Amino acid sequence: MALALLAAMSVYAGKYKNFKVSTYIRAQDVARMEDEKFLKSTWETVSSQVDLDKIYLETHRDAFTVPEKTLNKVKKFFLSKGLEVGGGITFTRSEPTDFETYSYARAEERAQVKQISEYTARFFDDFILDDFFFIDLKNDDEIAAKGSKSWTEYRLRLMADAGRELVVNPAKAVNPKVKVIIKYPNWYDHFHGLGFNLEEEPSYFDGLWTGTETRDPGSAQHLQNYLSYNIMRFFDNIAPGRNGGGWVDAGGIHMSMDRYAEQLHLTMLSKTPEIILWNYMQLAEVKITPAMRAPWQDAGGNSFRYDEMVAPFTKNGKTITPTTMARFSNQTLHQTDLLVGKLGNPIGLASYKPFHSSGEDFLQNYLGMIGLPMDMYPQWKDDRQQILLTQQAAKDPQIVEKIKRQLRKGGDVIITTGLLKAIKDNLADVVELYCGDLKAIVNDFGRMGKSEREFIIPQVKYFTNDAWEVVSAGRPLTGGVSGYPILLRDTYSKGMLFVLTIPDDFGNLYDYPAPVLNVIRRAMSKDVGAYIEGPSKVSLFPYDNKTMVVENFNDQAVNLRVVVNAKVSTLNNLLTGEQLKPATVQVSRNRFFGYVDTQTVFDLQLPAHSYVGLGY
């Protein structure tokens, strides 16, 4: 596989076939490029190690605006290098001061925002607002303007209006051709609290961009790897055809080259048309160090191969020794380019997240990391066999009626314990369950194994013979005195309702033994066409042309099974052409355990931090 992939890469030269690759220069760095030596030397470093299609020049950040003379000079330089050139704005007054934004209740600061928008539109036919078109201030002017509204209500209205009145309309008055794009960061579940209005803004901005930086999951934001893909799909579903691309920075590269490469790779698995490598100076200055080579590289066979990335290479007849992370970007994206052209449109288990909803924040990313392929929507989906509802769905006052409608037509509804707790009184018309404040400490899942650690789950109570446990847990369960549902089922009309127990610490989902995860994946695979069997931290990315990508985020190799919900003769490696033959398995009549005669099972092994593209 590795040799075939390297051969394919060696004959492929130039830019990319399936997407564009861009970078972004902050205002302060654009200003430094008035120095001809600095401008040319940084370009030499970056362009020799990564192929770029476009560059975005920022005009304003932290109360600083790039002078017109410098902006024109830098723009002309990059146009002469064959790049497309767009603009950018960051509406901050002081990032070091807790990312201080402009105060949109103050007339003088509103005027400044409007002037910056007009200024930028003079130079570019498209520009992006970086992460900070929100408000995080509670000064006396904002307090007075808020009045009796909640901060969320006030900020949502304030910023939706400011986008039209201070950015889009003024820019288009100066340059009718300009496309004004809003870039949203990665913390989507908290947007509404600071005024990012996903319901209104995508309708009047010319496009949006998506922050796919997951960095170190153990750092302040605690964002799981899977978010780099999942958030792209969510924003695609908010504004179909208008999500311009993903945006990844160097965060996480201290963990390993693989962690950085995974963010780029997952972003592009969403089939997005462009990616921005944040930012130009990181590409120029973040040096390659031996610490970026992870221990699992010693085992070999990895998808992202550090030793090959840092080896000298020839470009335009010149031998180049890689020096910065730009080389990691280039190799990862060219490698991913070979795969994504073979993939169809992404599909997954639909999860309904109403606009401005909260609860079980970012849970879908943890579920993606246990092998459930997520497809989040801000609207209810009536055309699916199954739909997943987390606590966020309680935002919809009609949620129980929608659940009934899905069940009456013969579909499945999967609800989490967080949603059960939020709507249990109304849900009682479907099934009488209770999930309150009682907890259980568990580590034993009976015949499905034990977890390596104990953890806390909410207790779900139900009426015997009205609902049934599919998976149970206790401490101990085998030979013990008590047990609690991990996956519970109940029937209503023609459909089935499942309750999925979510541990208090979402990360403990990764502690569920593989046989438990296998049952959950199987039960929730109706709209996907396939599922995986194996440990946690392995994700499945399915597509509508009977292809899929399976990716291992573990620090060691894993043995897996891919179960196709159809009879097929082979499973083909999309890059090497290798054909996998079906495994011999026993047929079971149980709807949740084993295999039925309409399924085909394949065995495979994946090295640490590696992926494989498959088709059937």
Side-chain angles (χ1 to χ4, degrees), residues 549-614:
V549 176
V550 183
E551 187 146 357
N552 176 22
F553 297 103
N554 288 282
D555 293 349
Q556 59 279 329
V558 295
N559 292 311
L560 300 167
R561 278 189 158 171
V562 174
V563 183
V564 178
N565 293 332
K567 296 302 290 184
V568 298
S569 59
T570 59
L571 195 60
N572 303 314
N573 187 306
L574 297 177
L575 293 178
T576 69
E578 177 189 358
Q579 293 186 333
L580 299 179
K581 297 299 182 182
T584 300
V585 296
Q586 291 186 332
V587 173
S588 169
R589 290 188 296 175
N590 190 296
R591 73 177 88 180
F592 300 111
F593 300 93
Y595 312 105
V596 297
D597 57 8
T598 55
Q599 294 178 315
T600 314
V601 181
F602 299 89
D603 292 323
L604 68 130
Q605 185 181 69
L606 269 181
H609 293 272
S610 294
Y611 64 88
V612 62
L614 302 167

Side-chain angles (χ1 to χ4, degrees), residues 286-298:
V286 176
K287 302 297 184 185
I288 294 172
T289 70
M292 295 174 183
R293 188 185 189 278
W296 53 79
Q297 293 279 333
D298 292 337

Side-chain angles (χ1 to χ4, degrees), residues 32-44 73-74 77-78 280:
R32 292 170 68 194
M33 290 176 178
E34 178 64 32
D35 180 342
E36 193 86 9
K37 182 178 179 180
F38 178 77
L39 174 60
K40 291 182 176 179
S41 65
T42 53
W43 170 246
E44 175 61 26
K73 173 182 178 176
V74 178
F77 174 83
F78 286 114
Y280 185 83

Side-chain angles (χ1 to χ4, degrees), residues 383-580:
D383 60 345
R384 303 303 172 90
Q385 297 181 72
Q386 297 183 304
I387 192 161
L388 168 71
L389 305 175
T390 71
Q391 188 179 353
Q392 298 157 346
K395 176 78 173 179
D396 185 344
Q398 301 299 314
I399 190 59
V400 173
E401 291 306 310
K402 291 175 179 176
I403 289 173
K404 290 179 182 178
R405 188 169 73 215
Q406 172 77 357
L407 295 171
R408 286 190 183 112
K409 72 176 187 180
D412 295 345
V413 177
I414 303 119
I415 69 170
T416 63
T417 40
L419 179 62
L420 172 60
K421 188 172 181 179
I423 66 167
K424 69 179 181 65
D425 293 336
N426 293 331
L427 188 66
D429 200 36
V430 176
V431 56
E432 293 177 300
L433 302 171
Y434 177 77
C435 184
D437 296 327
L438 295 175
K439 307 291 183 181
I441 300 174
V442 301
N443 67 350
D444 186 0
F445 297 81
R447 63 190 178 92
M448 282 179 274
K450 290 187 176 182
S451 58
E452 293 184 358
R453 73 189 93 195
E454 297 178 342
F455 52 90
I456 300 172
I457 62 170
Q459 294 185 20
V460 178
K461 305 294 186 181
Y462 60 94
F463 290 138
T464 300
N465 290 334
D466 182 61
W468 299 82
E469 294 183 35
V470 181
V471 179
S472 308
R475 189 188 63 164
L477 181 67
T478 304
V481 294
S482 59
Y484 306 94
I486 295 298
L487 184 65
L488 187 74
R489 66 176 176 88
D490 189 34
T491 56
Y492 179 90
S493 185
K494 303 179 190 68
M496 187 171 293
L497 182 139
F498 294 90
V499 179
L500 178 62
T501 296
I502 305 300
D504 283 15
D505 177 350
F506 299 166
N508 287 134
L509 286 166
Y510 306 156
D511 293 315
Y512 283 0
V516 173
L517 297 177
N518 296 344
V519 173
I520 293 170
R521 294 162 182 152
R522 173 175 175 162
M524 301 177 191
S525 67
K526 288 184 178 179
D527 286 311
V528 177
Y531 62 94
I532 57 174
E533 293 188 337
S536 63
K537 294 188 180 179
V538 180
S539 295
L540 173 66
F541 305 90
Y543 299 83
D544 66 359
N545 65 340
K546 297 184 179 180
T547 62
M548 69 186 83
V549 176
V550 183
E551 187 146 357
N552 176 22
F553 297 103
N554 288 282
D555 293 349
Q556 59 279 329
V558 295
N559 292 311
L560 300 167
R561 278 189 158 171
V562 174
V563 183
V564 178
N565 293 332
K567 296 302 290 184
V568 298
S569 59
T570 59
L571 195 60
N572 303 314
N573 187 306
L574 297 177
L575 293 178
T576 69
E578 177 189 358
Q579 293 186 333
L580 299 179

Side-chain angles (χ1 to χ4, degrees), residues 260-275:
Y260 174 65
E262 286 166 351
Q263 296 174 74
L264 303 175
H265 176 71
L266 293 178
T267 299
M268 307 322 291
L269 287 185
S270 72
K271 300 298 293 286
T272 189
E274 189 174 343
I275 186 170

